[in-house]
Each structure stands twice: as structure tokens, then as C-alpha cells.
Amino acid sequence: MSLKLVKISGLCAIMAAVAYTIGLALLLSVGEIPEPDDMRSFLLFVNAHRNNLISSLWVLGMFTTLKLGVLPGIYRLLRSEAALVCVALVACVVGFLFGTLFLSGFLSIGYELAPIYGASGEDAQPALEAIGATLWSSGVLLRSLSHFFFWGVG
């Protein structure tokens, strides 16, 4: 077993924990995020706090990527114990891909949709609210799939 690989995986685990803590602190610094049931107030809130929200999503994206660095070390430690470790690793990668899509959708709300909504007139806002609701619903599904594969199966 490669001791260097296990050390790198351990370092990735520590850095992932730090990134998660920083991302969560940035996310909590904006206060209570409104429920997306009222998409108007949600998009206006995101537009008002977009710097902290976008920063937290990027840091949480780093956390998600650093979690992948832990997988080779786990595989090296457990591969002789069970053949199903390969299935768990593939499930973790699939969960990572779903998580990346989830983060991409919410970054698009922060970068594009919320500022356009804030600057748009009353005529365009219902269509933008529908787009926001669709992105939100898709994001919730992707996040659920990500958690199922990464944490549940993996």
C-alpha cells in the first residue's frame, strides 16, 4: 500500500473539512434565506446577497472536489477486504457529478438570474420566477441524487 497516497487522501479530508466550515460560515453570514415558495422574495434576496452566496457556493464546490481526493486512499485501504469497494467508489463519483450539476444550477441563479430579475420590469418577472422555480426544483432533485449516491451508496 502506498503510504504517500494515504497521506494525500488524509490531507484532502482535512482540507475538505476546512472548506466545508468556511463555505457554511459564508452561507450562514447572509441570514435566513427565504423559502423558494415565494420566488420573488427569494430572487431579490439572492440578488441582494449574491457576493456571499456565490462565494459560499464556490467554497462548497471546492469541498465537493476535495472529497474526491479522499476516495483513492479509502480504496487502497479497503480493496483487499471487499470487492464491493469499487461499486461504492463509482457511486461516489456519480454523486460528485450530480453535486457538480447542483452547484452549477445555483451558481447560475446567483450569477445570471437574480441580477436580471432585480433589473427587470414587472412584465418579465413572472417568466423569470418560473425559470427560478424550475432551476430550484431541478437543483433539489440533483442534490438529493448526489447525497444518495455519495453518502448513501458510496
Side-chain angles (χ1 to χ4, degrees), residues 11-136:
L11 181 62
C12 284
I14 292 168
M15 289 179 3
V18 170
Y20 181 77
T21 304
I22 293 170
L24 191 60
L26 282 170
L27 186 63
L28 293 175
S29 71
V30 298
E32 186 174 344
I33 299 173
E35 290 294 321
D37 297 338
D38 180 15
M39 192 53 66
R40 175 176 170 72
S41 63
F42 176 76
L43 289 174
L44 290 174
F45 181 85
V46 170
N47 189 36
H49 301 283
R50 61 188 288 258
N51 289 338
N52 281 358
L53 291 171
I54 288 173
S55 298
S56 72
L57 287 174
W58 277 112
V59 172
L60 291 173
M62 288 189 320
F63 158 71
T64 303
T65 305
L66 286 167
K67 288 189 303 188
L68 283 181
V70 177
L71 298 179
I74 292 172
Y75 173 74
R76 294 289 287 170
L77 287 172
L78 298 178
R79 72 183 167 125
S80 63
E81 301 298 324
L84 290 177
V85 171
C86 291
V87 173
L89 290 176
V90 169
C92 286
V93 171
V94 170
F96 167 77
L97 293 175
F98 281 127
T100 302
L101 290 172
F102 157 74
L103 288 171
S104 299
F106 282 94
L107 281 170
S108 68
I109 290 174
Y111 274 122
E112 297 292 332
L113 186 62
I116 291 171
Y117 185 84
S120 69
E122 293 290 324
D123 294 339
Q125 287 183 347
L128 294 172
E129 288 173 8
I131 292 170
T134 303
L135 282 172
W136 180 265

